[in-house]
Amino acid sequence: MEERNQFTLVDETGKETTYDVLFTFDSEETNKSYIVYTDNSIDGDGNIQVFASIYYPGSDTSRLDPIETEKEWQVIETILNTIQEEVKKEAAGGTEE
């Protein structure tokens, strides 16, 4: 069985939600670390909802901060699109030579 990297957040109403970590990365462009995660819920378009936050690896805080700038969202969207294309290629039978 595959081990999943998960964490739980509690919202302002006290509701706990468990999230699966999709990946983390450091951006040289913004000098921040990001975590991309999902609760596996489906949005209105039928896609799995994916969230992203700033996180602080190696610190004693488990704080996640919101992404606030368009530049940061562009960095994250570029990474997501690259990963999505790689997954599609693998699903189609490998990379083209």
Side-chain angles (χ1 to χ4, degrees):
M1 186 169 163
E2 181 180 329
E3 186 177 325
R4 299 179 109 168
N5 192 4
Q6 297 180 322
F7 65 95
T8 301
L9 293 178
V10 180
D11 70 14
E12 61 278 349
T13 67
K15 179 184 173 201
E16 289 187 5
T17 303
T18 299
Y19 296 91
D20 291 325
V21 177
L22 299 174
F23 61 92
T24 61
F25 70 98
D26 300 322
S27 171
E28 290 181 13
E29 192 172 341
T30 63
N31 292 318
K32 294 181 183 176
S33 296
Y34 299 95
I35 183 169
V36 180
Y37 53 98
T38 182
D39 63 358
N40 295 301
S41 62
I42 306 296
D43 68 14
D45 295 327
N47 299 311
I48 293 175
Q49 287 194 327
V50 175
F51 309 97
S53 297
I54 299 166
Y55 86 116
Y56 304 90
S59 71
D60 59 355
T61 180
S62 57
R63 184 178 94 212
L64 296 178
D65 286 334
I67 295 164
E68 298 176 335
T69 69
E70 187 62 33
K71 179 180 179 180
E72 288 178 293
W73 279 117
Q74 288 173 349
V75 167
I76 291 166
E77 287 175 8
T78 298
I79 300 247
L80 279 171
N81 290 336
T82 300
I83 290 172
Q84 189 173 32
E85 286 302 314
E86 289 175 10
V87 168
K88 283 180 184 178
K89 284 181 185 178
E90 286 178 18
T95 57
E96 296 178 16
E97 301 280 327

